Amino acid sequence: MIALLGQTVRDEIVHADGTEEVRCGGAPVFAAGAIAAAGIPGVVVTKGGGDALHAELGRRGLPVLAGPAADTFVSRLVLREGGVRDHEIAALGEPFTPADVAGWAHSTLASASAIVVGTQWRGDLPPDTLAALVALGRPVIVDAQGLARPGLGPVRPEGPLDPAWLAGAAAAKFSDEEAEALLGGTDGPALARAGVPVVVVTYGEGGCAIWTGGEPEHLPADRIPRLADTIGAGDMFTALFAAALARGDTPRDAAVNANHGVAEILRLRV
């Protein structure tokens, strides 16, 4: 069973025609859909959001374990003509704590074959909480998206990486922009600064690169003509990559399988 740990996000979207929409967002939404579509047992472990958003999250096909939280992370997206968009963090959720790991979430996390952490901002998973997850003895795979977001305001990747943010993780996934901001590049010496044994860098339609020491190996993605959007592709990739590692795939094979799995889902958006 794969445990998907992350905030339930309130996505507030303003469309180009002025209409507004509120929907469930956050890493677990897309990760859960990918895991469920692949027929892999999993569970979402989350905070924030409330009953309505949790119900929407649950429709992605996995059970949802929601812990107590006073605050909900809010992401605001303003869409403009020509595909331009303004994205900002409007409110921060309540961070995951060591008490969460030892308390309401313990039995679920401890029984998982791997724990996938999808962060929304830099304070989502403090180093002591990551240490508590690692102490469970399960591989922890971290999506570094949130580590490049210092807090409220416009979303733009910022670094550098504090090694404590990934200490003890089995693997980490960065987009190319996040790797540039947090690690200072995407070559071997830069990826080594993550301080974890396996690093994946995703390049959207350009595929991904896998690093386990030395220089990274580039792995192409399946080409999908007329693709409508790639929202959530990184979250899906991280979850499928972690699931493949948990079943014994090599990091390279896990990345190849994750590439193909994401492509199969994105083809439905054409």
Side-chain angles (χ1 to χ4, degrees):
M1 179 188 71
I2 305 299
L4 306 173
L5 180 75
Q7 299 279 351
T8 297
V9 174
R10 176 184 169 92
D11 275 347
E12 298 178 350
I13 303 167
V14 181
H15 294 277
D17 62 4
T19 59
E20 298 191 17
E21 175 188 4
V22 173
R23 68 186 184 193
C24 182
V29 169
F30 304 104
I35 290 293
I40 300 167
V43 60
V44 172
V45 181
T46 191
K47 296 179 76 171
D51 292 344
L53 293 182
H54 292 158
E56 187 176 343
L57 176 57
R59 288 194 286 273
R60 297 297 176 123
L62 295 185
V64 176
L65 175 65
D71 301 308
T72 293
F73 188 97
V74 178
S75 173
R76 186 166 180 82
L77 193 65
V78 179
L79 307 179
R80 307 190 186 281
E81 297 293 343
V84 178
R85 65 182 190 177
D86 298 328
H87 187 193
E88 69 170 350
I89 297 174
L92 301 176
E94 186 176 303
F96 290 92
T97 68
D100 294 328
V101 177
W104 61 269
H106 182 267
S107 61
T108 298
L109 294 171
S111 62
S113 57
I115 300 170
V116 181
V117 178
T119 55
Q120 294 299 318
W121 73 290
R122 196 167 287 174
D124 254 359
L125 195 86
D128 56 348
T129 308
L130 176 59
L133 292 175
V134 172
L136 295 175
R138 303 293 183 263
V140 179
I141 295 87
V142 180
D143 190 317
Q145 171 182 266
L147 303 183
R149 299 173 175 179
L152 296 171
V155 173
R156 59 176 68 94
E158 296 182 24
L161 178 79
D162 181 339
W165 298 341
L166 291 175
K173 195 279 292 182
F174 300 78
S175 72
D176 55 333
E177 289 185 345
E178 292 157 3
E180 291 285 352
L182 290 166
L183 304 175
T186 57
D187 59 7
L191 300 185
R193 295 185 193 115
V196 298
V198 179
V199 177
V200 180
V201 179
T202 54
Y203 293 88
E205 293 183 0
C208 70
I210 183 77
W211 177 89
T212 55
E215 286 300 316
E217 178 185 1
H218 183 262
L219 303 171
D222 298 347
R223 301 295 294 177
I224 308 175
R226 303 184 307 280
L227 179 60
D229 71 75
T230 59
I231 294 174
D235 301 314
M236 294 187 284
F237 180 98
T238 307
L240 293 173
F241 177 73
L245 286 180
R247 71 172 177 245
D249 286 11
T250 66
R252 184 188 187 281
D253 288 346
V256 169
N257 289 330
N259 263 346
H260 291 325
V262 172
E264 289 299 310
I265 296 170
L266 294 182
R267 282 192 180 94
L268 301 176
R269 301 181 180 179
V270 170

